[in-house]
Amino acid sequence: MRVLIISKFFPPYQSARALQIGKVTDAIGKNAQIRVIAGLPDNMKGESDDNIHYVSYPKAKEFKNRLFRIGRRLLKEFESTNYFGSWVKKASGVAEKVICDFKPDVMMTSSSSFESHLVGLHLKKKMKILWVASFSDPWPAALMPVPYNVHSVPVLSRLQILMAKKVITECDAIHMPNKYAIDLIGKKLGLDIREKSYIIPHISNSFPKNIKIDLDLSDKLVHIGHLSRERVSIELLKAVKLLADQYKDVFGGMVCVGTVCPEFRRLVSEMQLDNQILILGQMSASKAMEYAMNSRVLLIIEANMKKSPFLPSKFVDYVAAKRPILAITPPISPVRDYLCSFSQGVAVEHNVDQIVEGIQKIFTRNFDDVLNENKEGGLMKEFTPSVVGSKYLSVLSDIENGACTNMNKI
């Protein structure tokens, strides 16, 4: 099988989605011929070769002035739906040449950024190629649950919704990492998409064993990655304050590996938790996972919602790190489903009593018992490159053959 993959975010860019689609490409490439049309910020180096064709785009400028930041965001929102945008036009032109030479059986476009799907729209119309539109999360923000939809831009949101509807209508299949995302998008757009939708989770990393770091995390609750204001939990901070005093023999507080929002820092200071919560700041993905593998317990925080349509890629990496997981997650969520099916952690809501009980439970249990309770193969097997890669290939084969028998189908 010959597969053309289009993704504006792609390695060497280091965003979560760029790293994910890089791993997906490697996994599919084990058993298929691959060509990639990839975006690349113009301040980074990437050598195009026979398999990967880089198309550059301007690196976003950083502004301290709030008005400039707002303007930059508005421009970014507009560009996400600009069918005639510079990157879309350049990537489409490169893709046309690749299609003529490579003759792919099927094309897969990956977001974010949504601009990848705009290239797909162009190629579907002009080249009549079979097309899978892959979404890492629901899009646009206007379709997301509170608190994420409060950041949508009224006029542009309508245009974004129309473009999302057009992509989902025109493509031959849709992929998302979980069923709640598919249900949400179908309901919000007023489309019955279940017959063309497939569920495939993220791919995990493989990590070397016995890596040591210069910080003792054997009694710490550790959060990896960016902590945005939507996911700040005052209930968690109250629980940490309570337990750091009452259970200091087994619980040594919290460590944040990565950037945190100003709102979180302010609460830590106001609640006098500077001695209980250590913020290490941003570091490379590989270095951050070294901290993850040396942690006592890893922490997932989702926003306070009734239902989550997200499967964080960090959850998949947490599983591969083979550490117990405490997940502060809505009562309905993919993370909760996985933790209820496989015993690698505890799921709680944004509730002080639940968080306290969850921390007590997970810090006082024997770690070996936690993993040994897993079903044969464990949760980690669900996200390995070989398993996830085979699911992608099965979907792509389905589309190529016009079949509707894939077990991952909704």
Side-chain angles (χ1 to χ4, degrees):
M1 180 187 296
R2 296 183 298 276
V3 182
L4 174 63
I5 296 174
I6 299 171
S7 181
K8 185 177 181 181
F9 295 160
F10 197 84
Y13 190 58
Q14 293 289 295
S15 72
R17 188 52 188 165
L19 295 172
Q20 265 297 312
I21 193 61
K23 289 185 284 187
V24 169
T25 299
D26 290 342
I28 295 174
K30 300 291 185 183
N31 294 287
Q33 296 181 58
I34 298 291
R35 296 292 184 273
V36 181
I37 310 298
L40 185 72
D42 56 14
N43 67 320
M44 298 183 69
K45 293 182 179 179
E47 294 292 333
S48 295
D49 55 30
D50 291 339
N51 295 324
I52 301 178
H53 303 264
Y54 285 107
V55 179
S56 66
Y57 58 87
K59 179 183 180 293
K61 294 182 179 180
E62 296 296 329
F63 295 107
K64 293 183 178 181
N65 184 285
R66 187 169 181 268
L67 290 177
F68 283 134
R69 291 201 306 270
I70 293 173
R72 180 189 62 185
R73 184 186 156 212
L74 289 173
L75 179 61
K76 180 181 177 182
E77 294 288 338
F78 173 73
E79 282 297 316
S80 68
T81 55
N82 185 6
Y83 188 77
F84 303 100
S86 174
W87 189 84
V88 173
K89 289 173 64 176
K90 289 191 293 183
S92 297
V94 173
E96 286 181 30
K97 295 177 181 178
V98 171
I99 290 172
C100 291
D101 178 57
F102 180 52
K103 295 180 172 53
D105 300 302
V106 62
M107 164 183 67
M108 183 171 75
T109 58
S110 172
S111 62
S112 55
S113 162
F114 189 79
E115 289 163 87
S116 305
H117 298 315
L118 298 181
V119 178
L121 269 176
H122 171 83
L123 298 175
K124 179 67 177 179
K125 180 179 180 180
K126 185 170 183 178
M127 311 298 285
K128 311 299 181 185
I129 185 172
L130 293 170
W131 175 23
V132 178
S134 175
F135 289 80
S136 58
D137 291 310
W139 188 91
L143 303 184
M144 294 186 187
V146 176
Y148 294 99
N149 61 1
V150 300
H151 306 305
S152 59
V153 182
V155 176
L156 289 177
S157 292
R158 182 58 184 165
L159 177 60
Q160 290 174 332
I161 289 171
L162 290 173
M163 293 304 294
K165 196 168 186 177
K166 186 171 182 61
V167 164
I168 289 174
T169 301
E170 294 294 330
C171 70
D172 297 283
I174 304 155
H175 154 253
M176 287 190 175
N178 70 87
K179 64 181 179 181
Y180 302 118
I182 290 171
D183 290 343
L184 175 69
I185 288 295
K187 180 180 179 181
K188 292 287 188 178
L189 294 179
L191 298 173
D192 184 1
I193 61 175
R194 293 175 67 86
E195 285 300 313
K196 63 192 298 186
S197 299
Y198 291 79
I199 297 170
I200 307 175
H202 300 307
I203 292 181
S204 65
N205 284 313
S206 58
F207 302 109
K209 299 178 181 179
N210 302 321
I211 291 180
K212 300 300 180 183
I213 60 172
D214 56 2
L215 181 64
D216 181 12
L217 301 176
S218 60
D219 62 349
K220 300 296 193 295
L221 179 65
V222 179
H223 181 273
I224 306 290
H226 176 58
L227 181 54
S228 64
R229 65 178 180 270
E230 294 89 356
R231 295 183 291 114
V232 171
S233 173
I234 192 169
E235 294 84 2
L236 168 65
L237 297 180
K238 290 178 179 178
V240 168
K241 187 176 184 67
L242 178 66
L243 290 168
D245 291 334
Q246 297 183 4
Y247 288 84
K248 57 185 176 182
D249 291 339
V250 294
F251 178 63
M254 178 177 167
V255 175
C256 297
V257 179
T259 58
V260 301
C261 64
E263 291 83 354
F264 182 81
R265 289 181 179 273
R266 176 177 55 80
L267 284 171
V268 168
S269 178
E270 289 177 356
M271 297 175 69
Q272 298 180 344
L273 285 168
D274 300 273
N275 292 329
Q276 287 78 34
I277 298 179
L278 175 63
I279 300 172
L280 296 181
Q282 188 173 9
M283 59 184 68
S284 69
S286 59
K287 186 66 176 178
M289 289 313 298
E290 291 178 9
Y291 280 78
M293 288 182 289
N294 283 274
S295 303
R296 177 65 184 88
V297 177
L298 291 167
L299 174 66
I300 285 278
I301 310 173
E302 293 202 80
N304 194 359
M305 306 173 279
K306 293 181 179 179
K307 180 190 291 187
S308 170
F310 307 112
L311 177 62
S313 58
K314 82 170 69 175
F315 173 73
V316 175
D317 287 335
Y318 280 8
V319 171
K322 300 181 181 179
R323 307 310 305 162
I325 298 167
L326 177 70
I328 303 176
T329 186
I332 302 174
S333 75
V335 169
R336 185 177 291 272
D337 289 348
Y338 278 118
L339 291 180
C340 288
S341 298
F342 300 88
S343 298
Q344 193 167 329
V346 176
V348 298
E349 297 179 40
H350 285 263
N351 175 284
V352 176
D353 292 338
Q354 286 191 28
I355 296 171
V356 167
E357 183 180 351
I359 292 175
Q360 290 173 332
K361 181 178 181 180
I362 204 166
F363 270 84
T364 55
R365 290 177 67 183
N366 184 285
F367 171 63
D368 291 334
D369 290 343
V370 173
L371 287 187
N372 288 338
E373 287 178 7
N374 285 346
K375 298 175 182 178
E376 185 176 352
L379 181 54
M380 187 171 66
K381 184 178 179 182
E382 297 288 306
F383 310 123
T384 58
S386 60
V387 170
V388 177
S390 67
K391 290 182 178 181
Y392 272 100
L393 286 168
S394 184
V395 170
L396 295 169
S397 179
D398 256 16
I399 305 310
E400 180 191 7
N401 297 320
C404 296
T405 58
N406 189 279
M407 294 303 293
N408 299 306
K409 204 166 189 293
I410 293 297

